[in-house]
Amino acid sequence: MNKQRLIERYHRFKQWQEKPRDYKLLSDEVQHCNNCGIDFTGNFCPICSQKAGLGRIGWHSVHQGVLDIWGLGTRSLLYSIWQLLLRPGHIISDYIDGKRQVSFPPVKMLFIVTIIYSFVVLWLLPNVFHLSIEEDATNVTELGQWVRDHYSWAMLITSMCAILPTWVMFRYSPRHTHHTMPEGFFIQVFFQVISVVLSLLLAPLNFVHSHTLLLLSLPIAIYYVIGYKQIFGYSLWGTLWRQGFVLFCSLFTQGIVIIVASPIVLPESWTKVTSSPDNPLINIILSVIIIAMLPVIILGIGHVVNLIATRKYRKEYKKASTRENT
């Protein structure tokens, strides 16, 4: 295969990533809705949203009905995961642009893939394939055990820690300028789905040696960079340094969440820690205050640097907005 053919295939793949589908009318003929009885033109009934052309039940209906049980029908779970792996930023961008039919519901998808991950990693691989993690990897803390038992909620909470930093660092981006924090919530949920899916695909490496966890973080980091670049439209360097601020703010915010949530999720352990003469409550409160100041400082520095870096773009955006209003 020569170089020119590889380049052509790459360009076709890039075009597919940006526009994988082209919605067109089935025909200009008038359709009759068997559900509500009206006549219309288009793919779906404007009254009840039933798809055009649905008539008597056939084998295709049986096939679709069976797939719908497992979430493999319309907006397929597997198809959405496949899209996230091949065009992560573009499918997320489509979703927050209002194209809700391009993806399986993201929050539901996150809970399903985390349940599958817990089943495969914590039960199937150890009990069926007799793969066991080394002892140093099994000595988890009580908090780590809680995360294992409530993996879906842990992933959801983790994703929420990156919403505000992402909004601050990427709100003047070439694409999705002034994106909202609710949109940021779904952006982070999609990325958590990617993280869980990659962890599941690479799960057998966890049973080889505990240090392979460092290698598992590499493909996840690459997907984050590619996805952010596709969503917000910055250059590779512009994406990387902004993500650095987001990462550090998220990590410190997660530390605050752990400390604050510990009395709720681990009341017995928290009582032991606070009652210890080496860890009086006042020291823990001071630690929380200090840790809470770190993400604020980091985010403040990032905000100032971002304002300087996007000064020209913000002026152009302001002028364009003024012309539109007048």
Side-chain angles (χ1 to χ4, degrees), residues 10-21:
Y10 172 74
H11 285 305
R12 284 201 301 269
F13 176 70
K14 291 286 291 183
Q15 291 175 355
W16 173 83
Q17 280 187 313
E18 295 177 4
K19 295 182 179 180
R21 60 186 67 79

Side-chain angles (χ1 to χ4, degrees), residues 36-51:
C36 60
I38 72 164
D39 295 329
F40 65 96
T41 302
N43 291 342
F44 297 91
C45 173
I47 303 298
C48 66
S49 300
Q50 179 163 291
K51 188 176 180 180

Side-chain angles (χ1 to χ4, degrees), residues 1-303:
M1 186 179 296
N2 56 38
K3 181 179 179 182
Q4 185 62 33
R5 182 169 296 182
L6 285 174
I7 294 174
E8 290 177 357
R9 289 192 175 185
Y10 172 74
H11 285 305
R12 284 201 301 269
F13 176 70
K14 291 286 291 183
Q15 291 175 355
W16 173 83
Q17 280 187 313
E18 295 177 4
K19 295 182 179 180
R21 60 186 67 79
D22 186 14
Y23 294 103
K24 297 179 180 179
L25 295 177
L26 291 175
S27 68
D28 294 330
E29 298 179 1
V30 176
Q31 306 285 337
H32 179 75
C33 178
N34 293 323
N35 186 52
C36 60
I38 72 164
D39 295 329
F40 65 96
T41 302
N43 291 342
F44 297 91
C45 173
I47 303 298
C48 66
S49 300
Q50 179 163 291
K51 188 176 180 180
L54 291 181
R56 299 188 63 179
I57 292 177
W59 286 112
H60 175 75
S61 303
V62 175
H63 175 260
Q64 190 67 35
V66 173
L67 291 180
D68 284 339
I69 297 175
W70 308 104
L72 302 177
T74 306
R75 293 187 296 169
S76 162
L77 173 63
L78 291 181
Y79 180 75
S80 297
I81 292 174
W82 181 250
Q83 291 271 306
L84 279 172
L85 293 178
L86 291 183
R87 50 188 298 268
H90 292 299
I91 187 174
I92 298 172
S93 182
D94 289 343
Y95 189 86
I96 64 176
D97 269 340
K99 299 177 181 178
R100 303 289 187 267
Q101 297 298 320
V102 302
S103 171
F104 193 81
V107 177
K108 184 178 180 181
M109 180 161 51
L110 176 60
F111 273 75
I112 292 175
V113 296
T114 51
I115 290 172
I116 295 173
Y117 174 86
S118 299
F119 169 75
V120 171
V121 174
L122 300 181
W123 185 84
L124 186 65
L125 291 179
N127 296 317
V128 177
F129 294 96
H130 305 293
L131 294 174
S132 58
I133 303 176
E134 293 187 357
E135 291 185 3
D136 58 345
T138 58
N139 293 329
V140 295
T141 62
E142 291 185 54
L143 180 62
Q145 187 61 47
W146 184 91
V147 171
R148 284 188 176 185
D149 296 339
H150 305 83
Y151 195 53
S152 299
W153 288 106
M155 291 296 99
L156 191 60
I157 293 171
T158 301
S159 66
M160 293 175 65
C161 294
I163 295 174
L164 179 59
T166 298
W167 179 77
V168 171
M169 297 305 304
F170 287 89
R171 60 178 172 155
Y172 301 123
S173 58
R175 301 175 195 154
H176 299 293
T177 301
H178 295 286
H179 80 280
T180 64
M181 281 195 278
E183 291 172 343
F185 168 78
F186 285 103
I187 290 173
Q188 298 306 321
V189 169
F190 274 116
F191 277 114
Q192 288 298 330
V193 172
I194 294 174
S195 299
V196 176
V197 169
L198 290 177
S199 299
L200 178 60
L201 294 176
L202 301 173
L205 292 179
N206 284 330
F207 299 88
V208 178
H209 197 279
S210 59
H211 293 301
T212 56
L213 290 173
L214 296 175
L215 296 177
L216 297 182
S217 62
L218 181 60
I220 294 175
I222 292 173
Y223 263 94
Y224 266 78
V225 173
I226 293 173
Y228 268 72
K229 186 176 183 299
Q230 291 177 350
I231 294 171
F232 297 109
Y234 280 117
S235 65
L236 179 60
W237 168 241
T239 302
L240 283 172
W241 70 260
R242 287 177 174 86
Q243 274 194 310
F245 281 102
V246 173
L247 175 62
F248 282 108
C249 288
S250 301
L251 291 176
F252 284 115
T253 304
Q254 290 172 31
I256 298 170
V257 171
I258 290 172
I259 295 174
V260 173
S262 291
I264 301 173
V265 299
L266 301 169
E268 295 182 1
S269 299
W270 182 256
T271 303
K272 293 179 182 178
V273 171
T274 54
S275 61
S276 172
D278 298 328
N279 296 293
L281 185 58
I282 185 64
N283 287 349
I284 297 177
I285 294 175
L286 290 175
S287 299
V288 173
I289 294 174
I290 294 172
I291 295 175
M293 290 175 62
L294 291 174
V296 174
I297 294 172
I298 293 172
L299 198 57
I301 296 172
H303 175 63

Side-chain angles (χ1 to χ4, degrees), residues 296-316:
V296 174
I297 294 172
I298 293 172
L299 198 57
I301 296 172
H303 175 63
V304 173
V305 175
N306 192 39
L307 285 178
I308 297 172
T310 58
R311 181 171 51 189
K312 181 179 178 181
Y313 174 76
R314 286 185 292 110
K315 287 182 179 179
E316 294 176 354

